């Protein structure tokens, strides 16, 4: 702690500050206490938040009675809520997601008025009939045995508490509710286009998250989620002819059968079965049900059991592909666990259902009529969400790029491992990013997911620009540091709610470099990167290369010079506000570190100790990992050859 303090003061006018500190220590014991709190906060490498890190806890017990003839269900829910915040809570909020699937809902209007609606939604909600809509109706709600006053506002239940929840205290909420499963439109619903009976996602009244930024009671318009960590104990009573796949571990397989046990189980036809699941330390619970599910299991790494649910009615060509899926899933989980943090549960389920692919705790729902590459690809992508969202529980609405973008980065590497047998960093998605910039529709990554003006801007930001954020770190701090940082990030923040600052702090610690500028430019603005070679001229026996920064976003710059004899040399100009240099990645190429480039300087003069006539080519960033929006000015002579195209982006 003292070391950190001394390092901090060495960067300031230390005599003045230290003298003041000594004065306060002598004069006031309360200021001693305040300084100690400051020091403790400074020493916490990862929890860069006022008051230290904390998160809420909510434990669910639910009993559901499901009627498949009416697509309705009744439920009893008991929640034990622990207020770990430093604040007194006088109200709480619940999400009622199914209410979005009603004509005139916010999701319906949003889907009909946005410039580029999701093709799966468009105006379909508007035309739902009364027996096709979704709803969640609250029949009663109590806090510690006493009835509460509440109001339904669309997809949000607003609740005034009879008794405030004090910091560090618990309270119990008991609710009776009923729901109707909507016709499948987006993620949740019944009778999807592939004939799956029920995709039960966002299906229960879910307590909203309260964190260091306050309540997150966002209306559901079809975007992202944020949940409270806790344990789920769920009992689902349903016609025994249905096979249920769910988050969590089945507690009574000997009574259920349906592939959960090798023992023969007798069931009365038409009778109901009660399925009992427990899911520990998760922030959501999802399930699906169908009478035709085939249920396969396979071993995964570290004692994980993989479950696969798909319909018997699938064409044979699709079923044969599903039979190949377990091997790919196990290999993918092994690779991701080794390189990005070990999957912490003992079960993972891949379930046919939904409207594409969507991740949930210990499970995913995907559509099943796919060729091998597509089926493996969607499975890997959704499984990687078990790391980036289901274990690293970022607020997807605020940091969708940390969810989808980090996932895209890891998925790309995993798919290379599965289908190529090797992994190579490449500028995947950079062409899409450039098209977004050219379109004029780009919005900052810090935009709330619900509030992007177009689906195009949201998708390109969350998936593409988010993945480039990590990909460029390989360029800025080096591949080894980036890989180490990704693993460190998982281990430091698993089962928590990390923010972008938390991630950057991990990367700063690992690399020893200052990276606040990178987040500020790439996340908080739409400034672009554009560097060019302005001039190349003789300077006696040497060559002067004038580099220029054309875009507003500064970056460290690498220039590779190829000589006529085929030899190569790298010149590295660190960005001064990085406060250091990245390690050398390519040990086979000579690297010369030049003086830092201050970001306010529009040009930089690089001197090469060879005549211009000896030089065959000069290129800024031949690794292509820097998202320069115009590479035509990155090469001297001004000609882009096959090595400076973007093969990974070609369609």
């Amino acid at each position: 702690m003292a070391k950190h303090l001394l390092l901090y003061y060495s960067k300031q006018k230390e005599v003045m500050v230290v003298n003041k500190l000594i004065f306060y220590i002598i004069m006031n014991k309360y200021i001693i206490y305040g300084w100690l709190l400051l020091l403790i906060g400074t020493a916490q490498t990862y929890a860069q938040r006022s008051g230290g890190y904390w998160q809420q806890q909510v434990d669910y017990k639910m009993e559901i009675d499901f009627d498949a003839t009416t697509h309705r269900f009744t439920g009893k829910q008991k929640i034990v809520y622990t207020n770990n915040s430093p604040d007194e809570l006088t109200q709480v909020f619940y999400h009622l997601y199914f209410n979005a699937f009603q004509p005139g809902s916010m999701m319906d209007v949003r889907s009909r008025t946005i410039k580029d609606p999701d093709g799966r939604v468009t105006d379909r909600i508007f035309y739902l009939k009364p027996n096709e809509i979704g709803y969640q109706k609250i029949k009663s709600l109590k806090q510690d045995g006493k009835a509460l006053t509440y109001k339904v506002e669309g997809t949000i239940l607003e609740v005034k508490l009879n008794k405030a929840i004090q910091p560090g205290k618990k309270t119990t909420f008991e609710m009776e509710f009923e729901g109707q499963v909507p016709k499948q439109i987006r993620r949740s619903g019944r009778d999807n286009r592939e004939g799956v009976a029920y995709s039960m996602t966002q299906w229960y009244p879910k307590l909203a998250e309260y964190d260091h930024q306050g309540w997150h009671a966002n209306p559901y318009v079809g975007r992202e989620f944020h949940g409270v960590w806790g344990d789920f104990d769920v009992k689902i009573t349903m016609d025994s002819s249905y096979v249920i796949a769910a988050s969590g571990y089945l507690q009574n397989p000997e009574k259920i059968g349906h592939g959960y046990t090798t023992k023969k189980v007798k069931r009365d036809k038409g009778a109901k079965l009660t399925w009992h699941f427990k899911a520990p330390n998760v922030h959501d619970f999802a399930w699906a049900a169908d009478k035709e599910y085939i249920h396969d299991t396979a071993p995964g790494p570290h004692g994980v059991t993989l479950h696969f649910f798909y319909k018997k009615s699938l064409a044979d060509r699709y079923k044969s592909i599903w039979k190949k899926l377990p091997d790919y899933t196990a290999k993918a989980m092994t690779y991701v666990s080794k390189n990005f943090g070990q999957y912490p549960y003992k079960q993972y389920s891949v379930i046919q259902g939904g409207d594409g692919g969507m991740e949930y705790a210990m499970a995913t729902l995907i559509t099943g009529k796919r060729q091998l590459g597509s089926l493996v690809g969607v499975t890997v992508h959704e499984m990687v969400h078990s790391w980036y969202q289901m274990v690293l529980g970022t607020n997807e609405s605020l940091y969708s790029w940390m969810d989808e973008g980090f996932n895209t980065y890891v998925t790309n590497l995993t798919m290379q491992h599965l289908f190529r047998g090797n992994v190579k960093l490449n500028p995947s998605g950079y062409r899409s990013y450039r098209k977004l910039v050219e379109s004029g529709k780009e919005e900052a990554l810090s935009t709330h997911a619900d509030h992007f003006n177009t689906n195009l801007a949201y998708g390109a930001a969350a998936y593409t620009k988010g993945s480039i954020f990590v990909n460029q770190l390989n360029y800025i701090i080096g591949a080894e540091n980036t890989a180490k940082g990704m693993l460190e990030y998982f281990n430091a923040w698993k089962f928590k709610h990390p923010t972008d600052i938390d991630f950057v702090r991990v990367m700063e610690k690992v690399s020893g470099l200052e990276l606040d500028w990178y987040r500020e430019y790439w996340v908080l603005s739409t400034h672009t990167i554009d560097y060019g070679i302005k001039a190349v001229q003789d300077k006696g026996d040497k060559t002067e290369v004038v580099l220029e920064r054309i875009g507003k976003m500064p970056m460290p710059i690498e220039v590779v010079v190829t000589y006529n004899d085929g030899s190569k040399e790298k010149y590295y100009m660190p960005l001064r506000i990085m406060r250091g240099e990245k390690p050398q990645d390519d040990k086979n190429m000579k690297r010369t570190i030049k003086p830092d480039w201050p970001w306010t300087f529009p040009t930089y003069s690089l001197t090469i100790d060879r005549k211009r006539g000896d030089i065959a080519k000069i290129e800024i960033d031949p690794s292509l990992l820097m998202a320069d929006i115009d590479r035509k000015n990155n090469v001297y002579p001004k000609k882009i050859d096959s090595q400076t195209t973007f093969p990974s982006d070609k369609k």
Side-chain angles (χ1 to χ4, degrees):
M1 188 181 299
K3 181 180 178 181
H4 286 296
L5 181 60
L6 289 173
L7 288 173
Y8 171 77
Y9 285 134
S10 68
K11 296 180 181 179
Q12 311 298 320
K13 294 183 178 179
E14 54 191 82
V15 174
M16 181 185 301
V17 178
V18 172
N19 285 342
K20 284 185 178 180
L21 175 58
I22 293 171
F23 172 78
Y24 285 135
I25 289 174
I26 295 171
M27 297 300 295
N28 197 320
K29 65 180 181 181
Y30 296 107
I31 292 188
I32 295 175
Y33 179 69
W35 275 99
L36 286 174
L37 288 180
L38 174 63
L39 294 177
I40 291 169
T42 306
Q44 290 180 352
T45 306
Y46 302 112
Q48 303 297 312
R49 301 178 188 176
S50 176
Y53 180 81
W54 53 267
Q55 65 188 37
Q56 306 294 66
Q57 171 83 13
V58 58
D59 297 323
Y60 287 83
K61 282 191 176 181
M62 291 188 283
E63 295 182 4
I64 309 301
D65 191 356
F66 200 97
D67 184 348
T69 62
T70 62
H71 313 299
R72 295 174 184 169
F73 58 96
T74 58
K76 294 181 180 179
Q77 181 189 84
K78 182 178 180 180
I79 288 178
V80 177
Y81 184 77
T82 305
N83 179 20
N84 292 317
S85 82
D87 307 319
E88 177 184 271
L89 303 181
T90 60
Q91 60 184 340
V92 297
F93 302 89
Y94 287 77
H95 296 282
L96 305 176
Y97 292 112
F98 272 6
N99 289 356
F101 300 99
Q102 299 174 10
S105 71
M106 288 182 66
M107 184 174 176
D108 171 40
V109 174
R110 176 67 165 167
S111 299
R112 289 188 286 116
T113 57
I114 196 169
K115 294 178 181 179
D116 56 342
D118 187 325
R120 293 166 292 193
V121 185
T122 59
D123 60 355
R124 291 176 64 203
I125 296 176
F126 184 75
Y127 291 104
L128 290 177
K129 300 172 184 176
N131 66 338
E132 295 175 331
I133 67 170
Y135 63 69
Q136 289 164 332
K137 296 180 179 179
I138 310 306
K139 312 305 288 185
S140 68
L141 179 60
K142 298 177 181 179
Q143 179 192 11
D144 297 330
K146 295 183 179 180
L148 287 169
T149 301
Y150 55 85
K151 180 172 66 172
V152 175
E153 291 284 1
T155 60
I156 298 297
L157 179 70
E158 301 176 349
V159 183
K160 298 293 183 183
L161 299 181
N162 296 329
K163 180 182 178 183
I165 313 172
Q166 299 300 323
K169 299 299 182 180
K170 297 182 179 182
T171 196
T172 300
F173 297 109
E174 293 177 276
M175 176 190 290
E176 293 184 351
F177 65 97
E178 67 177 50
Q180 177 170 289
V181 186
K183 184 177 179 182
Q184 203 285 326
I185 291 179
R186 188 72 182 96
R187 296 182 176 131
S188 311
R190 59 181 172 86
D191 303 322
N192 84 340
R193 290 178 179 178
E194 295 185 345
V196 176
Y198 296 105
S199 298
M200 299 297 290
T201 61
Q202 290 82 54
W203 60 277
Y204 60 95
K206 181 179 180 181
L207 200 64
E209 178 66 286
Y210 181 84
D211 61 20
H212 67 290
Q213 295 173 311
W215 283 105
H216 296 276
N218 298 305
Y220 183 45
V221 297
R223 281 273 192 255
E224 306 292 354
F225 307 98
H226 191 28
V228 192
W229 288 103
D231 298 334
F232 284 73
D233 187 321
V234 182
K235 293 180 179 178
I236 304 167
T237 300
M238 191 176 190
D239 188 314
S240 64
S241 60
Y242 284 86
V243 180
I244 294 180
S247 300
Y249 309 106
L250 183 65
Q251 301 298 297
N252 56 340
E254 71 286 347
K255 294 182 180 179
I256 298 299
H258 287 304
Y260 284 95
T261 178
T262 56
K263 296 179 181 179
K264 194 169 184 179
V265 177
K266 277 191 174 183
R267 293 184 296 270
D268 294 333
K269 192 174 182 180
K272 284 191 170 184
L273 275 178
T274 298
W275 303 61
H276 185 193
F277 294 95
K278 287 186 178 181
N281 208 15
V282 296
H283 52 81
D284 201 3
F285 185 96
W287 59 284
D290 194 272
K291 292 181 179 181
E292 291 189 356
Y293 270 152
I294 295 172
H295 179 193
D296 294 335
T297 62
H302 308 292
V304 175
T305 300
L306 302 173
H307 295 252
F308 300 85
F309 299 85
Y310 54 99
K311 287 179 69 72
K312 293 177 184 176
S313 58
L314 277 176
D316 288 343
R317 68 180 185 275
Y318 294 127
K319 281 193 284 191
S320 67
I321 294 172
W322 272 84
K323 292 294 182 183
K324 297 176 182 178
L325 187 58
D327 183 54
Y328 284 98
T329 306
K331 289 178 180 177
M333 182 174 282
T334 300
Y335 175 81
V336 181
S337 288
K338 177 182 178 181
N339 293 282
F340 300 97
Q342 186 171 317
Y343 179 73
Y345 306 105
K346 294 301 180 184
Q347 179 176 307
Y348 185 76
S349 298
V350 181
I351 308 163
Q352 185 184 359
D355 63 339
M358 183 63 191
E359 73 280 359
Y360 297 96
M362 303 169 68
T364 182
L365 272 68
I366 63 173
T367 47
K369 295 181 178 179
R370 297 171 179 265
Q371 298 304 314
L372 180 63
S374 176
L375 188 65
V376 173
V378 70
T379 299
V380 169
H381 179 86
E382 304 308 336
M383 186 190 71
V384 171
H385 276 303
S386 291
W387 280 255
Y388 304 102
Q389 176 52 20
M390 307 321 300
V391 174
L392 293 161
T394 54
N395 180 349
E396 291 179 290
S397 295
L398 292 179
Y399 312 105
S400 54
W401 59 276
M402 293 179 68
D403 167 42
E404 299 294 355
F406 289 17
N407 182 311
T408 300
Y409 175 80
V410 175
T411 296
N412 178 42
L413 298 179
T414 306
M415 291 295 284
Q416 287 187 60
H417 169 73
L418 292 178
F419 288 95
R420 297 182 187 175
N422 57 48
V423 174
K424 181 180 179 182
L425 293 170
N426 62 74
S428 176
Y430 284 45
R431 187 180 296 277
S432 297
Y433 164 66
R434 291 184 181 90
K435 287 183 178 179
L436 175 67
V437 172
E438 291 169 2
S439 74
K441 296 179 180 179
E442 183 187 9
E443 299 177 58
L445 285 185
S446 55
T447 305
H448 190 286
D450 292 338
H451 297 283
F452 277 87
N453 288 320
T454 63
N455 280 313
L456 170 68
Y458 162 74
Y463 292 80
T464 303
K465 196 175 177 185
S467 67
I468 293 174
F469 182 91
V470 185
N471 221 27
Q472 277 190 143
L473 280 174
N474 290 279
Y475 174 79
I476 297 169
I477 68 175
E480 186 176 334
N481 280 334
T482 302
K484 183 180 177 182
M486 292 295 282
L487 191 57
E488 185 76 16
Y489 170 58
F490 178 86
N491 290 328
W493 284 99
K494 59 187 176 184
F495 302 117
K496 297 186 178 79
H497 295 301
T499 69
D500 55 348
I501 294 176
D502 300 319
F503 177 76
V504 168
R505 288 294 294 119
V506 172
M507 290 298 179
E508 286 186 328
K509 179 190 175 188
V510 167
S511 67
L513 299 175
E514 191 170 323
L515 298 171
D516 54 348
W517 61 273
Y518 181 48
R519 168 185 168 270
E520 289 157 9
Y521 274 97
W522 194 256
V523 176
L524 304 182
S525 81
T526 57
H527 295 323
T528 57
I529 303 165
D530 186 10
Y531 281 84
I533 298 173
K534 186 175 184 179
V536 178
Q537 53 203 19
D538 292 314
K539 193 175 182 181
D541 292 337
K542 301 179 181 181
T543 301
E544 182 184 45
V545 181
V546 180
L547 307 172
E548 64 176 334
R549 178 172 60 82
I550 302 163
K552 290 185 178 180
M553 180 170 173
M555 287 285 278
I557 295 300
E558 291 181 336
V559 172
V560 173
V561 179
T562 304
Y563 299 106
N564 292 330
D565 60 8
S567 63
K568 293 184 178 183
E569 185 174 6
K570 181 182 292 184
Y571 291 88
Y572 174 50
M573 282 67 69
L575 188 63
R576 181 171 291 178
I577 53 178
M578 289 169 56
R579 305 302 169 193
E581 302 85 31
K582 76 169 182 178
Q584 185 170 357
D585 283 336
D586 187 352
K587 307 297 183 183
N588 297 318
M589 186 186 302
K590 179 185 175 183
R591 185 180 76 159
T592 301
I593 300 176
K594 289 291 189 176
D596 295 350
W597 187 337
W599 70 268
T600 60
F601 290 19
T603 61
Y604 185 102
S605 179
L606 168 65
T607 300
I608 299 172
D609 294 332
R610 297 278 289 270
K611 294 180 180 179
R612 188 169 59 154
D614 294 338
I615 296 172
K617 180 179 169 183
I618 304 172
E619 183 173 5
I620 298 173
D621 179 34
S623 74
L624 311 181
L625 293 177
M626 184 173 71
D628 192 309
I629 61 166
D630 180 12
R631 285 199 54 85
K632 291 191 293 293
N633 55 14
N634 285 35
V635 179
Y636 168 86
K638 291 190 176 181
K639 179 181 179 183
I640 303 264
D641 62 23
S642 60
Q643 304 242 339
T644 56
T645 59
F646 301 89
S648 63
D649 289 339
K650 291 182 178 178
K651 295 183 179 179

